[in-house]
Amino acid sequence: DVKVTQSSRYLVKRTGEKVFLECVQDMDHENMFWYRQDPGLGLRLIYFSYDVKMKEKGDIPEGYSVSREKKERFSLILESASTNQTSMYLCASATPPGGEAEAFFGQGTRLTVV
Amino acid sequence: GESVGLHLPTLSVQEGDNSIINCAYSNSASDYFIWYKQESGKGPQFIIDIRSNMDKRQGQRVTVLLNKTVKHLSLQIAATQPGDSAVYFCAELTSGGSYIPTFGRGTSLIVHP
């Protein structure tokens, strides 16, 4: 089974802290994604990566950055956490365009910024 | 204090009834569609997918219907069970471009015993 693992289920951070959310997948997928999920707003794409060291902005990249130094690992970074970044963060991985496979999700990290 | 967001569309059904969850997609170039189920406290899980060269696909207790003319997707769940209670999302993708799933807002399904 494909496994996408996020390092933390729950995090509480203070305003202004630098926050790292880690995601690891074990299926050798090229594409990885970070979404945030807020009540009634669905999943909104923050950043995605289609290869090592490659990254593209999604719909809401402001306040975030990402790092993909290895194929299996995609990190989301909040340079200076703010309360409006309190949310559920979901990492996903998928095969390249044209593949049959759907995006596989991690279990999510619920981040609270106080 | 707790933030208040938009309320999800909600479908309430009795156990044993059939459920139909609808989704309108936006990109006429989308050619691959997926339904996900998200239970409380978990990440979304794949249910069923369909390509644009099909208008119907069946799985175990689930059927997805695709109407490309009106850009509409539906998920039918037969004999709904309490374990089906979850939020359901549709996702659209364009296989010819970069593989980025775009998700709808989701529908909350509540199954009453």
Side-chain angles (χ1 to χ4, degrees):
Chain A
D1 281 351
V2 174
K3 197 166 184 183
V4 179
T5 304
Q6 295 181 228
S7 54
S8 304
R9 289 295 301 274
Y10 301 96
L11 275 179
V12 180
K13 296 291 182 181
R14 295 192 180 279
T15 301
E17 276 194 79
K18 190 169 186 176
V19 182
F20 292 86
L21 303 184
E22 306 286 347
C23 176
V24 177
Q25 52 97 1
D26 64 0
M27 278 301 289
D28 202 36
H29 285 166
E30 278 80 1
N31 295 351
M32 296 187 75
F33 311 87
W34 274 106
Y35 291 88
R36 67 176 279 177
Q37 183 176 27
D38 299 290
L41 296 178
L43 280 74
R44 294 182 290 167
L45 182 66
I46 305 172
Y47 266 97
F48 70 99
S49 169
Y50 52 90
D51 202 351
V52 175
K53 296 191 186 295
M54 306 301 286
K55 60 185 179 184
E56 295 283 345
K57 294 180 180 179
D59 299 321
I60 51 164
E62 295 79 17
Y64 303 94
S65 62
V66 290
S67 172
R68 190 142 181 227
E69 296 297 316
K70 293 184 178 181
K71 191 175 185 180
E72 67 271 18
R73 187 180 296 270
F74 191 36
S75 302
L76 180 69
I77 303 156
L78 286 67
E79 296 290 341
S80 178
S82 63
T83 55
N84 63 13
Q85 293 178 308
T86 291
S87 187
M88 169 72 93
Y89 290 88
L90 289 163
C91 174
S93 73
T95 54
E100 281 294 326
E102 71 277 19
F104 294 88
F105 283 86
Q107 77 278 24
T109 297
R110 186 164 293 281
L111 172 68
T112 302
V113 182
V114 298
Chain B
E2 192 172 338
S3 64
V4 177
L6 298 172
H7 292 292
L8 274 181
T10 300
L11 176 65
S12 290
V13 301
Q14 291 295 128
E15 182 178 0
D17 287 352
N18 296 334
S19 302
I20 300 175
I21 301 171
N22 296 305
C23 178
Y25 63 93
S26 56
N27 188 352
S28 56
S30 295
D31 58 1
Y32 181 46
F33 304 89
I34 309 169
W35 279 101
Y36 286 89
K37 173 186 179 182
Q38 186 178 24
E39 296 174 278
S40 181
K42 297 183 179 179
Q45 289 187 298
F46 172 88
I47 302 173
I48 192 168
D49 59 358
I50 189 169
R51 289 208 170 272
S52 58
N53 60 354
M54 303 170 70
D55 53 21
K56 181 178 179 179
R57 191 171 188 203
Q58 287 185 289
Q60 188 178 13
R61 281 203 307 119
V62 294
T63 301
V64 56
L65 298 178
L66 175 62
N67 185 332
K68 296 181 286 295
T69 303
V70 295
K71 293 190 286 188
H72 184 268
L73 201 63
S74 68
L75 177 71
Q76 299 178 0
I77 305 173
T80 316
Q81 302 167 359
D84 295 327
S85 293
V87 175
Y88 291 81
F89 293 95
C90 65
E92 57 179 305
L93 300 96
T94 306
S95 59
S98 52
Y99 187 98
I100 305 173
T102 301
F103 290 86
R105 282 179 54 210
T107 296
S108 177
L109 176 65
I110 300 171
V111 182
H112 300 282

